[in-house]
Amino acid sequence: MTETLTLSPLARTIVDTPTDIWNDSCAVDELEYAIGFGAVGATANPTIVHDVWRKDPTTWRLRARAIAGANREWTEVDVAWAVVEEMSLTGAKLLEPTFAEHGGRNGRLSMQTNPTFWRTPDRMLEQGVHFASLAPNIIVKFPATAVGIEVMEEATYRGVNVNCTVSFSVAQAVAAGEAVERGLRRREAEGLRVDDMGPVITIMMGRLEDWLRVLTERDGIVCDPDVLPWSGVAVFKRAYAIFRERGLRARPLGAAIRHHLHWSELIGGECVVTLPSAWQKRFNGSTVEVRSRIDDPIDQRILDQLRARFPDFVRAYDPDGLAIADFDGFAPTVRTLRAFIGSYHDLLHAVTDAVLPNPDLRAS
């Protein structure tokens, strides 16, 4: 008698559909759990790196102190990036079997370029190329700022696998996808390989929704309570459809999870969903039906309310809602860059406290 294997909902998503799941952290224990049900990638950013530090401060204080002691000429900035690289490469090592199995399309660990480089193309590109050299399965995050879009094309041409981040709108996602496509075509024109590349274009669905919720309170906007959770989903689905229409080879990636629609409504797409460990456990314990919904249309009533109440939803949802020159000033972009830069500074403070010699004054 053949034993029937019962798969978790997320494992079924991966096995039964083209949709892949990534772990939204480089923490080893969380990544091991995710790989256990079939997750095929992982990601990091300044907030995640600092969170990993805070969960195990003793280990990382000692590592920072050891790195600083071995490199007397280094600044705290140098030490902080050495810590980021060490965390990232540990995660990348865990994903090597998946990387080999999928020929480079999956099994990658995302490293994010310095968020303070959001308007500095040369330094952003230089750091991205460096990250890509650290391990064969590194994918590099560049922000969907005006400069970031420019860098993504050149980075792709140089063989860097791109993960577009700080992206909340159809316009940003499509601009990034087209930049990557131009880079891929330049490589092909010179006879360089592209079949082993796995670029992705992130849409931070929950962060768009967060901003619309801020607007409801700030501006006293009244709308049906079931409308806002669909805002990021609607943007993702429209971008996904355009990617297919235009034959863009980068895969859309759904991020910034706030509820199960950010997973369940993407099932069936040839795309990626990146999930924090807490949401993975919640979804794996749920009774949500695993079935393809990516092509299910958004209720017109919901779209009409979002359009009528929120001009920033219109900017995010319409393919021409934002020009590239407008990306940097879009409210979710500003809020997210501020958060990432703040987390980066928090990491620098943690490194400084670890390296300073007086233990009585060192922060816990």
Side-chain angles (χ1 to χ4, degrees), residues 27-61:
V28 170
D29 59 335
E30 295 179 359
L31 183 50
E32 288 175 338
Y33 171 83
I35 291 172
F37 65 72
V40 293
T43 187
N45 60 37
T47 302
I48 290 170
V49 169
H50 189 235
D51 285 345
V52 172
W53 177 298
R54 290 190 299 175
K55 289 176 181 177
D56 190 6
T58 300
T59 295
W60 291 109
R61 278 201 300 265

Side-chain angles (χ1 to χ4, degrees), residues 79-91:
V79 174
W81 283 106
V83 168
V84 170
E85 290 184 11
E86 185 169 317
M87 286 187 187
S88 300
L89 291 178
T90 300

